[in-house]
Amino acid sequence: MLSMLHCPSALNSRFIDEMSHFMTKSSVLLLFPCIVSSLFFLLYWVPHGEPPCPMGVLYKCLPIVFLCLYVGTHILQDGLTRYTACVLIGLLFSGTGDAYLVYQKDYFIQGMLAFAVAHLFYSIAFHERPMWWKFMAYYMPFYVSMFAILAPRVSFKVFWAGVVYGQLITVMLWRAAARLDFRNPSVSKLCAFWGAFLFLVSDTVLSLNKFAMPLPYAQYLIMPTYYASQILITLSIHKDVEKQDANSVCANGLKKEN
């Protein structure tokens, strides 16, 4: 810990290197179709309030399709790992959930369960030690509050599907948060955490709007946070530039200064 305090320049340099590694020209170009298609859905399709139809499925799912292609390109270049495989499967189930939710009047539970499976695979991708059990103590007040608000307002089937879904999104956020180490910052792990957090924000707004009370401009809160969450989780597949631990980075930085 003490060595960390003596070498902020080394850690800052590593963090900047990781950021530049993430924001390469090829990465930006590969993400561009996803960003354009998500903006098209938000700015054209959502304001028109079109009824459910196959074109709605296409427009809503297209950003996720481009993210799947992004991950697939990364796998072809750098090889398949547990992390990239789980993120890709999570994206595929997310796209399935998106398709169901276009017809949410008839397929809401199916969409919820598809996203629950996506959260399961994201959790497997994020899982590593430490466990950080204290997270549950911080998170439980929010979980209990949402349960108290929504449980009396939903049907029996939606209730039990929601219980499963709520537990899995909780696990996803927990595993993403447990990986963070602000003494040795990692852009990949920060992307995973903020992606998981924005997913929770999106689903919270969606649930409150659908079951508790209509929220003004709900779709303009739900969909941007959802697409941002998926983009951040996708970006987390990039490996960290440095594989050394913090003390090694500091030692190297001190050697250069001497």
Side-chain angles (χ1 to χ4, degrees):
M1 175 70 75
L2 186 60
S3 62
M4 292 288 299
L5 300 176
H6 290 300
C7 58
S9 60
L11 287 177
N12 289 338
S13 176
R14 173 177 177 258
F15 192 77
I16 292 170
D17 286 345
E18 286 190 24
M19 285 296 295
S20 62
H21 176 66
F22 269 57
M23 294 294 103
T24 60
K25 185 176 180 180
S26 59
S27 295
V28 173
L29 289 175
L30 285 171
L31 282 177
F32 186 71
C34 169
I35 295 169
V36 171
S37 57
S38 60
L39 287 174
F40 177 83
F41 178 77
L42 291 168
L43 300 177
Y44 174 77
W45 192 261
V46 171
H48 282 73
E50 301 286 350
C53 64
M55 287 304 294
V57 173
L58 175 65
Y59 291 146
K60 189 175 185 182
C61 296
L62 202 54
I64 305 302
V65 171
F66 285 126
L67 290 180
C68 288
L69 294 174
Y70 183 97
V71 176
T73 302
H74 180 85
I75 290 172
L76 289 175
Q77 292 175 345
D78 295 346
L80 184 68
T81 65
R82 183 199 72 179
Y83 196 98
T84 53
C86 287
V87 168
L88 180 58
I89 295 171
L91 286 169
L92 290 171
F93 274 99
S94 294
T96 304
D98 281 332
Y100 276 126
L101 290 184
V102 170
Y103 298 92
Q104 60 178 286
K105 186 176 180 180
D106 299 313
Y107 297 104
F108 181 78
I109 292 178
Q110 291 88 336
M112 187 190 303
L113 293 177
F115 276 112
V117 176
H119 295 323
L120 174 63
F121 279 98
Y122 288 152
S123 300
I124 295 171
F126 300 156
H127 178 68
E128 60 183 57
R129 295 195 180 274
M131 297 301 291
W132 197 40
W133 295 105
K134 287 184 179 179
F135 170 85
M136 293 301 176
Y138 303 139
Y139 182 81
M140 283 309 294
F142 169 79
Y143 186 84
V144 171
S145 298
M146 288 295 294
F147 185 87
I149 293 170
L150 298 175
R153 295 174 167 85
V154 299
S155 67
F156 181 79
K157 288 183 178 180
V158 173
F159 172 80
W160 285 110
V163 168
V164 173
Y165 183 88
Q167 290 177 346
L168 286 171
I169 196 171
T170 297
V171 170
M172 179 185 70
L173 181 62
W174 168 40
R175 298 322 307 145
R179 303 166 73 223
L180 295 177
D181 182 0
F182 291 106
R183 297 170 300 172
N184 188 21
S186 161
V187 177
S188 172
K189 293 176 181 179
L190 284 170
C191 283
F193 169 74
W194 285 112
F197 178 79
L198 287 176
F199 219 130
L200 179 67
V201 171
S202 177
D203 284 351
T204 299
V205 176
L206 186 152
S207 300
L208 292 174
N209 181 67
K210 184 173 180 64
F211 298 112
M213 59 188 131
L215 299 175
Y217 307 108
Q219 284 299 320
Y220 294 102
L221 293 172
I222 295 166
M223 295 311 298
T225 50
Y226 167 68
Y227 285 136
S229 73
Q230 296 284 27
I231 290 172
L232 287 169
I233 290 172
T234 299
L235 285 174
S236 74
I237 65 175
H238 289 284
K239 297 176 183 178
D240 297 338
V241 174
E242 299 290 342
K243 295 299 180 183
Q244 301 160 294
D245 62 23
N247 290 333
S248 299
V249 173
C250 291
N252 290 338
L254 291 173
K255 285 179 183 177
K256 290 178 180 178
E257 291 176 4
N258 293 334

